[in-house]
Amino acid sequence: MTELHIIEQQALEKINQSSSLAQLEEARVEYLGKSSKLMNLMKTLGSMEPEQRKTFGAEINIIKNKLQEIVDTKKAAFELQIINAKLMSEKIDVTLPSRSSPQGKIHPVSQVIDEVTAIFGTMGFSVAEGPEIEDDYHNFNALNIPKNHPARQNHDTFYLPNEGGNTMLLRTHTSPVQIRSMKLGKPPFRIISPGRVYRCDWDITHTPMFHQLEGLLIDKDIHMGHLKGCIMEFLQKFFAIDDLPVRFRSNFFPFTEPSAEVDISCSRTQGELKIGGGEDWLEIMGCGMVHPKVLRNVGIDPDVYQGFAFGMGLERLAMLKYGISDLRNFFEGDARWMEHYGFSSFDIPSLVGGLAR
Ligand code: 2U9
């Protein structure tokens, strides 16, 4: 047997005996690597006669390719074995129920925003947004609340340093969003504006930041009948009570005329509040027909277009619908409170999703 065939036999033996990727690699380096016996034989080709070089070179190449092919096949088999073993040990049981605790929750205010938006969405309203840092023109003047108007005192405004001669402030309501939307577009309008508002007030029923949702509808031939119908539809859907009695009580707001506060029927037995079908009334939101001066301020002719507006506090809605007693807990970020009052992010938002919980 020639030296070449001895090397071939030894290589085949070592490769076939290797029982792991590491052993196979060791065999490959020994018999096919740069300083292997096979490669050393190849280096001797240069000193051979051309004819001998041709036959011996071809022979080495055949053996080298044969060994490489066996190594490759064996390597692929080992790799497959490793993957299969990994798949078996890391098996995932897709039928296991999900763990509930590490899952975050939807804050009740976000849930209420989604629910209210869905209801007004069915009535053709879309969501408008605007800045939380405002100037006093958009927050007050345009809404018929001029300087020194007593209504400004009620708003407990956080004032900021003046900017370019403008008095700047944190918006006290989301009404400037509607002012900006009307100045930018053309009637008709059907918008709702949910968002944060700020008032310098801090006690058991007031926090310096809370959430409001206001709505505005401007079109031709709009009257209080439309306002009442829209608000009743909203309240009955939101509280999931078809025949929920709703009362409109006359009030004053500078930006609407006439204006009303809206009450829903309720009962209070032994301190427990139940919404719908009682002898008592509960104030829930405010509304009115948009003041002609406000329409003129944004360039709308009140003899052609009229409309109504409404506003509500979202924490209050969440407290009433979901039985949350303390307003201050909404902003404390206590994970236990969120675990209890929050909503699953897997819930498909629906009008009565919260009640069916
Ligand atoms: C424009 C014209 C009119 C928005 C309105 C109310 C009545 C209202 C309160 C509810 C509870 C504020 O959060 S709260 O304290 N809001 O009663 N808001 S009408 O009227 C507008 C808004 C924008 C251009």
Side-chain angles (χ1 to χ4, degrees):
M1 209 191 282
T2 62
E3 189 188 355
L4 185 60
H5 288 104
I6 293 170
I7 295 172
E8 184 190 4
Q9 284 313 309
Q10 289 173 344
L12 280 174
E13 211 169 298
K14 181 123 189 185
I15 291 168
N16 286 332
Q17 274 172 5
S18 57
S19 57
S20 69
L21 261 186
Q23 282 178 10
L24 183 68
E25 178 61 8
E26 207 178 285
R28 187 195 68 79
V29 171
E30 190 178 339
Y31 290 99
L32 291 163
K34 271 189 197 136
S35 4
S36 61
K37 289 179 188 165
L38 208 60
M39 290 306 138
N40 287 341
L41 278 183
M42 265 189 158
K43 283 174 201 157
T44 63
L45 289 175
S47 58
M48 288 181 187
E49 291 301 314
E51 204 48 40
Q52 196 191 4
R53 186 191 304 150
K54 205 172 157 193
T55 43
F56 193 57
E59 235 179 305
I60 296 179
N61 263 332
I62 289 170
I63 292 172
K64 188 176 138 263
N65 291 342
K66 179 179 158 189
L67 293 176
Q68 186 65 55
E69 212 174 288
I70 297 170
V71 167
D72 289 345
T73 315
K74 229 175 139 75
K75 190 175 175 211
F78 279 140
E79 282 170 347
L80 193 67
Q81 260 178 28
I82 291 169
I83 290 173
N84 283 337
K86 222 173 163 194
L87 282 175
M88 287 307 283
S89 66
E90 293 175 4
K91 218 164 143 187
I92 297 168
D93 183 353
V94 290
T95 64
L96 272 180
S98 64
R99 291 194 196 100
S100 59
S101 47
Q103 174 74 46
K105 292 277 178 105
I106 304 291
H107 194 282
V109 168
S110 304
Q111 174 75 17
V112 165
I113 290 178
D114 287 350
E115 292 174 18
V116 177
T117 303
I119 299 170
F120 283 108
T122 65
M123 295 191 248
F125 286 78
S126 49
V127 174
E129 287 176 325
E132 289 175 25
I133 295 176
E134 266 296 358
D135 52 49
D136 73 343
Y137 173 77
H138 290 93
N139 194 79
F140 289 128
N141 298 45
L143 286 145
N144 195 29
I145 315 174
K147 263 204 172 64
N148 304 321
H149 191 286
R152 285 218 187 187
Q153 262 103 67
N154 299 340
H155 279 232
D156 303 306
T157 314
F158 283 109
Y159 283 98
L160 301 168
N162 285 7
E163 219 172 74
N166 277 339
T167 301
M168 302 303 289
L169 46 85
L170 294 181
R171 68 181 185 193
T172 58
H173 47 187
T174 61
S175 314
V177 175
Q178 291 91 287
I179 294 292
R180 289 179 182 277
S181 301
M182 286 194 286
K183 285 208 301 193
L184 276 175
K186 276 192 164 62
F189 295 102
R190 256 180 226 220
I191 47 178
I192 50 169
S193 56
R196 281 186 282 266
V197 299
Y198 302 84
R199 294 184 190 185
C200 188
D201 205 353
W202 178 238
D203 61 32
I204 194 149
T205 52
H206 297 90
T207 48
M209 185 281 294
F210 65 102
H211 295 78
Q212 266 192 350
L213 187 141
E214 291 191 341
L216 175 81
L217 185 147
I218 305 288
D219 210 329
K220 288 180 175 156
D221 304 320
I222 298 299
H223 52 74
M224 276 201 86
H226 297 115
L227 164 63
K228 288 181 78 175
C230 176
I231 284 178
M232 285 171 72
E233 164 97 358
F234 159 65
L235 291 171
Q236 289 167 351
K237 286 251 175 73
F238 181 76
F239 288 105
I241 304 174
D242 283 345
D243 51 359
L244 176 69
V246 180
R247 180 173 81 171
F248 291 79
R249 197 167 23 83
S250 171
N251 194 29
F252 170 80
F253 300 118
F255 31 78
T256 46
E257 182 62 33
S259 308
E261 277 185 318
V262 185
D263 301 337
I264 51 174
S265 135
C266 71
S267 65
R268 289 182 179 94
T269 35
Q270 282 152 14
E272 208 201 314
L273 179 80
K274 191 177 162 285
I275 289 167
E279 317 70 49
D280 237 338
W281 294 98
L282 183 72
E283 186 187 319
I284 193 88
M285 59 190 288
C287 66
M289 301 304 293
V290 178
H291 199 294
K293 276 193 185 167
V294 174
L295 292 176
R296 269 191 219 104
N297 285 342
V298 294
I300 294 176
D301 182 352
D303 294 326
V304 181
Y305 287 99
Q306 309 76 38
F308 62 80
F310 50 86
M312 60 194 94
L314 295 175
E315 285 78 9
R316 184 168 160 72
L317 283 194
M319 288 168 87
L320 290 171
K321 185 164 175 178
Y322 298 116
I324 305 172
S325 56
D326 194 335
L327 170 71
R328 289 168 300 185
N329 293 147
F330 276 79
F331 310 114
E332 281 169 352
D334 187 325
R336 292 163 301 177
W337 186 88
M338 273 299 282
E339 186 58 33
H340 184 80
Y341 288 109
F343 292 81
S344 165
S345 54
F346 289 130
D347 267 356
I348 296 164
S350 80
L351 305 184
V352 292
L355 290 179
R357 216 159 40 127

